[in-house]
CSV table of all heavy atoms in Angstrom, one decimal:
chain,number,residue,atom,x,y,z
A,103,TYR,N,6.0,15.6,-30.1
A,103,TYR,CA,7.4,15.4,-30.5
A,103,TYR,C,7.9,14.0,-30.7
A,103,TYR,O,9.0,13.7,-31.0
A,103,TYR,CB,8.4,16.2,-29.6
A,103,TYR,CG,8.3,17.7,-29.7
A,103,TYR,CD1,7.6,18.5,-28.8
A,103,TYR,CD2,9.0,18.3,-30.8
A,103,TYR,CE1,7.6,19.9,-29.0
A,103,TYR,CE2,9.0,19.7,-30.9
A,103,TYR,CZ,8.2,20.5,-30.0
A,103,TYR,OH,8.2,21.8,-30.2
A,104,ALA,N,6.9,13.0,-30.6
A,104,ALA,CA,7.3,11.6,-30.6
A,104,ALA,C,7.7,11.2,-32.1
A,104,ALA,O,8.4,10.2,-32.2
A,104,ALA,CB,6.2,10.7,-30.2
A,105,ARG,N,7.3,12.0,-33.1
A,105,ARG,CA,7.7,11.7,-34.4
A,105,ARG,C,9.1,12.0,-34.7
A,105,ARG,O,9.7,11.5,-35.7
A,105,ARG,CB,6.8,12.4,-35.4
A,105,ARG,CG,5.4,11.8,-35.5
A,105,ARG,CD,4.5,12.6,-36.4
A,105,ARG,NE,4.0,13.8,-35.7
A,105,ARG,CZ,3.0,14.6,-36.2
A,105,ARG,NH1,2.5,14.4,-37.4
A,105,ARG,NH2,2.6,15.6,-35.5
A,106,GLN,N,9.7,12.8,-33.9
A,106,GLN,CA,11.2,13.2,-34.0
A,106,GLN,C,12.0,12.3,-33.1
A,106,GLN,O,12.6,12.8,-32.2
A,106,GLN,CB,11.4,14.6,-33.7
A,106,GLN,CG,10.6,15.5,-34.7
A,106,GLN,CD,10.8,17.0,-34.4
A,106,GLN,OE1,12.0,17.4,-34.3
A,106,GLN,NE2,9.8,17.8,-34.3
A,107,ASP,N,12.0,11.0,-33.4
A,107,ASP,CA,12.6,10.0,-32.5
A,107,ASP,C,14.0,9.5,-33.0
A,107,ASP,O,14.6,8.7,-32.3
A,107,ASP,CB,11.7,8.8,-32.3
A,107,ASP,CG,11.4,8.1,-33.6
A,107,ASP,OD1,11.1,8.7,-34.6
A,107,ASP,OD2,11.6,6.8,-33.6
A,108,ARG,N,14.4,10.1,-34.1
A,108,ARG,CA,15.7,9.7,-34.7
A,108,ARG,C,16.2,10.7,-35.6
A,108,ARG,O,15.4,11.6,-36.1
A,108,ARG,CB,15.6,8.3,-35.4
A,108,ARG,CG,14.7,8.4,-36.6
A,108,ARG,CD,14.4,7.0,-37.1
A,108,ARG,NE,13.6,7.0,-38.3
A,108,ARG,CZ,12.3,7.2,-38.4
A,108,ARG,NH1,11.6,7.4,-37.2
A,108,ARG,NH2,11.6,7.2,-39.5
A,109,ARG,N,17.4,10.7,-36.0
A,109,ARG,CA,17.9,11.6,-37.0
A,109,ARG,C,17.6,11.0,-38.4
A,109,ARG,O,18.2,10.1,-38.9
A,109,ARG,CB,19.4,11.8,-36.9
A,109,ARG,CG,19.8,12.5,-35.6
A,109,ARG,CD,21.3,12.8,-35.6
A,109,ARG,NE,21.6,13.8,-36.6
A,109,ARG,CZ,22.9,14.1,-36.9
A,109,ARG,NH1,23.9,13.5,-36.4
A,109,ARG,NH2,23.1,15.0,-37.8
A,110,SER,N,16.6,11.6,-39.1
A,110,SER,CA,16.2,11.2,-40.4
A,110,SER,C,17.1,11.6,-41.5
A,110,SER,O,17.2,10.9,-42.6
A,110,SER,CB,14.8,11.7,-40.7
A,110,SER,OG,14.8,13.1,-40.6
A,115,PRO,N,17.6,17.3,-35.4
A,115,PRO,CA,17.6,17.0,-34.0
A,115,PRO,C,16.8,15.6,-33.7
A,115,PRO,O,16.1,15.1,-34.5
A,115,PRO,CB,16.8,18.1,-33.4
A,115,PRO,CG,15.8,18.5,-34.4
A,115,PRO,CD,16.5,18.2,-35.8
A,116,ILE,N,17.0,15.2,-32.5
A,116,ILE,CA,16.2,14.1,-31.9
A,116,ILE,C,15.4,14.7,-30.8
A,116,ILE,O,15.7,14.7,-29.6
A,116,ILE,CB,17.0,12.9,-31.4
A,116,ILE,CG1,18.0,12.4,-32.5
A,116,ILE,CG2,16.1,11.8,-30.9
A,116,ILE,CD1,18.9,11.3,-32.1
A,117,SER,N,14.3,15.4,-31.2
A,117,SER,CA,13.5,16.2,-30.3
A,117,SER,C,12.9,15.4,-29.2
A,117,SER,O,12.7,15.9,-28.1
A,117,SER,CB,12.5,17.1,-31.1
A,117,SER,OG,13.2,17.9,-32.0
A,118,ALA,N,12.5,14.2,-29.5
A,118,ALA,CA,11.8,13.4,-28.5
A,118,ALA,C,12.8,13.2,-27.3
A,118,ALA,O,12.3,13.1,-26.1
A,118,ALA,CB,11.4,12.1,-29.1
A,119,LYS,N,14.1,13.0,-27.6
A,119,LYS,CA,15.0,12.8,-26.5
A,119,LYS,C,15.2,14.1,-25.7
A,119,LYS,O,15.3,14.1,-24.5
A,119,LYS,CB,16.4,12.3,-27.1
A,119,LYS,CG,17.6,12.3,-26.2
A,119,LYS,CD,17.3,11.4,-25.0
A,119,LYS,CE,18.6,11.3,-24.1
A,119,LYS,NZ,18.3,10.6,-22.8
A,139,HIS,N,4.6,6.9,-30.5
A,139,HIS,CA,4.8,6.8,-31.9
A,139,HIS,C,5.9,5.7,-32.2
A,139,HIS,O,5.8,5.0,-33.1
A,139,HIS,CB,5.2,8.1,-32.5
A,139,HIS,CG,5.3,8.1,-34.0
A,139,HIS,ND1,4.3,7.8,-34.9
A,139,HIS,CD2,6.4,8.2,-34.8
A,139,HIS,CE1,4.7,7.8,-36.1
A,139,HIS,NE2,6.0,8.0,-36.1
A,140,ALA,N,6.9,5.7,-31.3
A,140,ALA,CA,7.9,4.7,-31.4
A,140,ALA,C,8.2,4.2,-30.0
A,140,ALA,O,8.5,5.0,-29.1
A,140,ALA,CB,9.2,5.3,-32.0
A,141,ALA,N,8.1,2.9,-29.9
A,141,ALA,CA,8.3,2.3,-28.5
A,141,ALA,C,9.6,2.6,-27.9
A,141,ALA,O,9.7,2.6,-26.7
A,141,ALA,CB,8.0,0.8,-28.6
A,142,GLN,N,10.6,2.8,-28.7
A,142,GLN,CA,12.0,3.0,-28.2
A,142,GLN,C,12.1,4.3,-27.5
A,142,GLN,O,13.1,4.5,-26.8
A,142,GLN,CB,13.0,2.8,-29.3
A,142,GLN,CG,13.0,3.9,-30.4
A,142,GLN,CD,12.2,3.4,-31.6
A,142,GLN,OE1,11.3,2.6,-31.5
A,142,GLN,NE2,12.5,4.0,-32.7
A,143,ILE,N,11.1,5.2,-27.6
A,143,ILE,CA,11.2,6.4,-26.9
A,143,ILE,C,11.2,6.2,-25.4
A,143,ILE,O,11.8,7.0,-24.6
A,143,ILE,CB,10.0,7.3,-27.3
A,143,ILE,CG1,10.2,7.8,-28.7
A,143,ILE,CG2,9.9,8.5,-26.3
A,143,ILE,CD1,9.0,8.6,-29.2
A,146,PHE,N,14.5,6.7,-24.0
A,146,PHE,CA,15.1,8.0,-23.9
A,146,PHE,C,15.0,8.5,-22.4
A,146,PHE,O,15.7,9.5,-22.1
A,146,PHE,CB,14.3,9.0,-24.7
A,146,PHE,CG,14.5,8.8,-26.2
A,146,PHE,CD1,13.7,9.5,-27.1
A,146,PHE,CD2,15.3,7.8,-26.7
A,146,PHE,CE1,13.9,9.3,-28.5
A,146,PHE,CE2,15.5,7.6,-28.1
A,146,PHE,CZ,14.7,8.4,-29.0
Side-chain angles (χ1 to χ4, degrees):
Y103 285 100
R105 285 175 281 189
Q106 300 182 50
D107 63 310
R108 64 192 184 280
R109 294 187 67 191
S110 56
I116 305 178
S117 301
K119 172 59 176 170
H139 183 65
Q142 65 265 23
I143 291 174
F146 291 175

